[in-house]
Amino acid sequence: MKALIELKLFAPLMLLIPILYGCVNKAPIEEVESFPETLPEDSNDASIREMKIKQDLAYIESLHNLKEEQYRIAPGDKFNIYVYNEKDLDTEGLVVKMDGTITCKLIGDVKVKHLTIPEATRQIEAKLTKFLRYPKVSLMPYEMKSSSFTIMGKVTKPGFYYFDGSIHLADAIAKAEGLSVGVFDNNTIELADLEHSFIRRGEEILPIDFESLLRRGNAKMNIPLVNGDYIFIPSAMNQEVYIIGEVNKQGYFGFKPNMTAGRLLAHA
């Protein structure tokens, strides 16, 4: 009977211990926020990108305002020379030689390299004064080679081209007979990757958007070229899309602008 009474007194204490233990050791549970599927865009990053775009556009506009300089004669330039009232001295098809001279009738070689056309004209007239009184010379260029650009990559005729100091980017691509096209998996596709095309001027890559120029006719991107510009149009053949599964023809296809899943299924 005594043991039963002690057990009844001890039972409430046994129930009280877990309760006290839980009160002492139980830490508050913090609510864990779920990680967002997409991170919010940093407004600072967005403003930096917008500022960069504005700077690029302002810079591209400045590229249209080239400093006008007088043309200077270079080896390979071709001229016709006419002497007033002296038909025997008229000469057509004169070519500036590599040493920078042209050979004129009566006076022989005249150094004209790096001279402007008015300066070269005066030089010829000065030499003719030994034989003629008040000679009047017309120096008429018909092919100039002091300025050049290089265009490589996926154009029809890549290479080195001369120009007379007045040519724009779209005209340079047209001079190379346009962008290359080819047949890929029985489909005619354009081989040029306009998104990654670029112009290098000296050590600088110009921020020109070829896609905007050639697809949308953006005149701002049609900048005038300068001597030594290098244009590169990379291949688009490394851009492929794949289709597998329950189609008649699984495999890869050359990517085309504005390609949709429906068109891809039709090809397959």
Side-chain angles (χ1 to χ4, degrees), residues 123-182:
Q123 186 94 323
I124 295 168
E125 289 175 343
K127 288 182 176 290
L128 282 173
T129 54
K130 297 178 181 179
F131 307 96
L132 302 174
R133 181 177 293 181
Y134 307 120
K136 185 64 177 176
V137 173
S138 295
L139 187 60
M140 308 294 293
Y142 66 89
E143 185 175 322
M144 316 301 282
K145 292 193 174 182
S146 70
S147 297
S148 64
F149 68 88
T150 302
I151 182 166
M152 300 299 292
K154 291 302 177 181
V155 290
T156 304
K157 289 189 176 180
F160 183 79
Y161 291 88
Y162 291 105
F163 66 100
D164 62 2
S166 176
I167 191 170
H168 286 70
L169 176 57
D171 302 323
I173 295 172
K175 197 166 188 175
E177 299 193 5
L179 303 175
S180 298
V181 295

Side-chain angles (χ1 to χ4, degrees), residues 31-165:
E31 184 178 353
V32 179
E33 296 182 359
S34 60
F35 193 80
E37 293 182 2
T38 57
L39 294 175
E41 184 176 16
D42 192 328
S43 59
N44 290 333
D45 290 345
S47 62
I48 290 172
R49 282 196 298 272
E50 185 177 350
M51 185 181 300
K52 178 70 167 55
I53 291 171
K54 289 181 179 179
Q55 288 174 346
D56 285 348
L57 290 175
Y59 180 58
I60 289 169
E61 287 182 5
S62 72
L63 295 174
H64 286 268
N65 303 319
L66 292 178
K67 183 180 178 181
E68 293 186 7
E69 297 180 354
Q70 282 190 299
Y71 181 83
R72 298 200 172 267
I73 298 170
D77 288 353
K78 297 180 181 180
F79 294 90
N80 295 327
I81 294 179
Y82 303 102
V83 184
Y84 182 69
N85 275 343
E86 298 291 341
K87 292 289 184 182
D88 292 342
L89 298 181
D90 292 350
T91 309
E92 295 185 348
L94 280 177
V95 180
V96 181
K97 294 176 284 189
M98 293 306 296
D99 63 358
T101 64
I102 55 174
T103 303
C104 304
K105 292 178 181 178
L106 194 62
I107 58 177
D109 289 346
V110 181
K111 188 83 169 181
V112 295
K113 182 180 178 180
H114 298 323
L115 298 179
T116 64
I117 291 176
E119 289 170 347
T121 301
R122 289 193 293 269
Q123 186 94 323
I124 295 168
E125 289 175 343
K127 288 182 176 290
L128 282 173
T129 54
K130 297 178 181 179
F131 307 96
L132 302 174
R133 181 177 293 181
Y134 307 120
K136 185 64 177 176
V137 173
S138 295
L139 187 60
M140 308 294 293
Y142 66 89
E143 185 175 322
M144 316 301 282
K145 292 193 174 182
S146 70
S147 297
S148 64
F149 68 88
T150 302
I151 182 166
M152 300 299 292
K154 291 302 177 181
V155 290
T156 304
K157 289 189 176 180
F160 183 79
Y161 291 88
Y162 291 105
F163 66 100
D164 62 2

